[in-house]
Amino acid sequence: MSSSARVHDPVRTFLETRETGARESALLPPIRVLVSETDVVSRRFLCALLEHEPDMVVTCVDDSELVSSIQESAPDLVIVDVHAPAIRRASSWEALGIKSAPATIATAYDSSAVSTFASTAIDILVKPFDPERFEAALDLAKVEITQERAKSESGQVLSGTREDLRQAGWLERLVVESDHKILLVRADDIDWIQSSGDYVRLHMGSACHVLRRTMKELQALLDPKRFLRVHRSAMVNLDRVKEFYLPPTGNMFVTLSTGVSLPLRRHSRFSLRRLLKNIS
């Protein structure tokens, strides 16, 4: 396969915009991803994007190997075309003989052709989609997989209490150096977090502290039931959210109790509602 066939210009552009966030926390095991696309170009496009995810181990297969590959490798995440013959008439992974259903991102050419199978997916990508749209779906999948791992490790669903947070190992305090001082910032006190290259800005009322971490690193350390990535450059404390504004047309945004409004990324309303349902 030639390099031009593997990496298209949109992928290259996407990777360049994420270069500063490429470093990943080593606290979590890699996410096992299986990609099965009936369309060869789409499969190459997805695999090229995922190839540069340092926290993922990716396998790409055609439709004939889909079910057997899931049964053998037990992936955390499956990205699959809903029109693939193996699942076209299936209502769930269980119906295909897969007992432990993986997290799923479904792809389709027509948004109106959403099957029962696709309705249970984390997100539905309508082809052709761009790298930024795929990143939004991938972030949703990471949140769900992180939650499932936390449940498995603790043996119970996280309730959001301090004891649960300690058991799950989520970060409760951040060490910030400011004006020759070292501050201990409680995660609970943060309103929202802003990405700024290799740094993040912690917004707390009228105060703002700068921390030398990438947004991606910090997201992996904070409880996904409490902190939600709403945009490439913004993450909010759900305890500070007043409302999500989702008009039929135009821009979507989230408003905090402090009055700050932040844009919502362009993932579907379905995905946002499903994610919030999982978090609640």
Side-chain angles (χ1 to χ4, degrees):
M1 185 188 305
S2 67
S3 58
S4 60
R6 287 187 61 191
V7 182
H8 304 283
D9 288 341
V11 177
R12 185 176 297 109
T13 301
F14 173 69
L15 296 174
E16 288 171 354
T17 63
R18 301 187 67 184
E19 184 176 356
T20 58
R23 294 174 304 175
E24 190 66 19
S25 170
L27 299 178
L28 301 175
I31 294 173
R32 301 182 305 277
V33 185
L34 183 69
V35 178
S36 178
E37 270 285 345
T38 55
D39 179 68
V40 176
V41 174
S42 296
R43 187 162 68 242
R44 288 175 177 171
F45 179 74
L46 287 169
C47 291
L49 291 176
L50 291 166
E51 183 179 303
H52 297 272
E53 287 285 339
D55 57 340
M56 293 185 170
V57 177
V58 183
T59 303
C60 299
V61 301
D62 59 33
D63 178 66
S64 64
E65 302 173 286
L66 173 60
V67 176
S68 61
S69 295
I70 294 176
Q71 292 171 334
E72 292 171 6
S73 61
D76 301 300
L77 172 64
V78 173
I79 303 174
V80 63
D81 188 335
V82 296
H83 300 298
I87 66 169
R88 188 176 298 159
R89 291 177 294 277
S91 58
S92 65
W93 287 119
E94 289 80 0
L96 291 171
I98 298 170
K99 295 180 180 179
S100 181
T104 306
I105 294 175
T107 66
Y109 282 106
D110 184 359
S111 59
S112 65
V114 177
S115 63
T116 304
F117 182 96
S119 65
T120 64
I122 291 172
D123 202 354
I124 302 171
L125 302 177
V126 179
K127 296 183 280 191
F129 50 85
D130 58 28
E132 187 175 278
R133 176 66 182 85
F134 176 66
E135 181 197 8
L138 203 58
D139 281 347
L140 292 177
K142 288 179 180 179
V143 168
E144 178 150 314
I145 292 167
T146 299
Q147 289 176 348
E148 289 302 315
R149 286 179 172 179
K151 290 177 187 178
S152 176
E153 291 172 1
S154 65
Q156 61 182 5
V157 178
L158 297 178
S159 65
T161 64
R162 292 183 182 277
E163 181 61 29
D164 289 327
L165 290 174
R166 282 194 291 271
Q167 290 177 6
W170 303 119
L171 199 63
E172 293 187 38
R173 291 180 179 83
L174 294 85
V175 179
V176 177
E177 295 188 29
S178 176
D179 296 329
H180 307 292
K181 299 177 182 178
I182 296 179
L183 307 176
L184 294 178
V185 175
R186 296 171 65 247
D188 290 351
D189 295 337
I190 299 172
D191 298 327
W192 67 286
I193 302 170
Q194 179 182 14
S195 175
S196 182
D198 288 339
Y199 296 81
V200 293
R201 298 179 182 276
L202 310 177
H203 293 270
M204 306 162 60
S206 59
C208 178
H209 300 297
V210 177
L211 179 66
R212 188 179 177 83
R213 278 190 183 273
T214 65
M215 179 72 88
K216 194 170 185 179
E217 290 172 339
L218 195 55
Q219 184 180 7
L221 297 174
L222 292 171
D223 181 9
K225 278 183 167 289
R226 301 174 70 95
F227 286 87
L228 175 65
R229 185 85 172 264
V230 295
H231 192 268
R232 180 191 297 273
S233 60
M235 182 161 50
V236 299
N237 183 342
L238 287 170
D239 290 337
R240 300 293 196 274
V241 172
K242 178 181 178 182
E243 64 181 9
F244 290 95
Y245 181 62
L246 310 175
T249 59
N251 296 328
M252 301 184 293
F253 59 86
V254 56
T255 301
L256 306 184
S257 55
T258 58
V260 173
S261 290
L262 300 169
L264 281 171
R265 69 170 100 221
R266 293 182 299 161
H267 58 56
S268 67
R269 291 162 179 79
F270 166 83
S271 302
L272 177 61
R273 290 193 175 98
R274 190 177 191 281
L275 177 59
L276 293 177
K277 181 180 179 181
N278 288 340
I279 289 175
S280 63

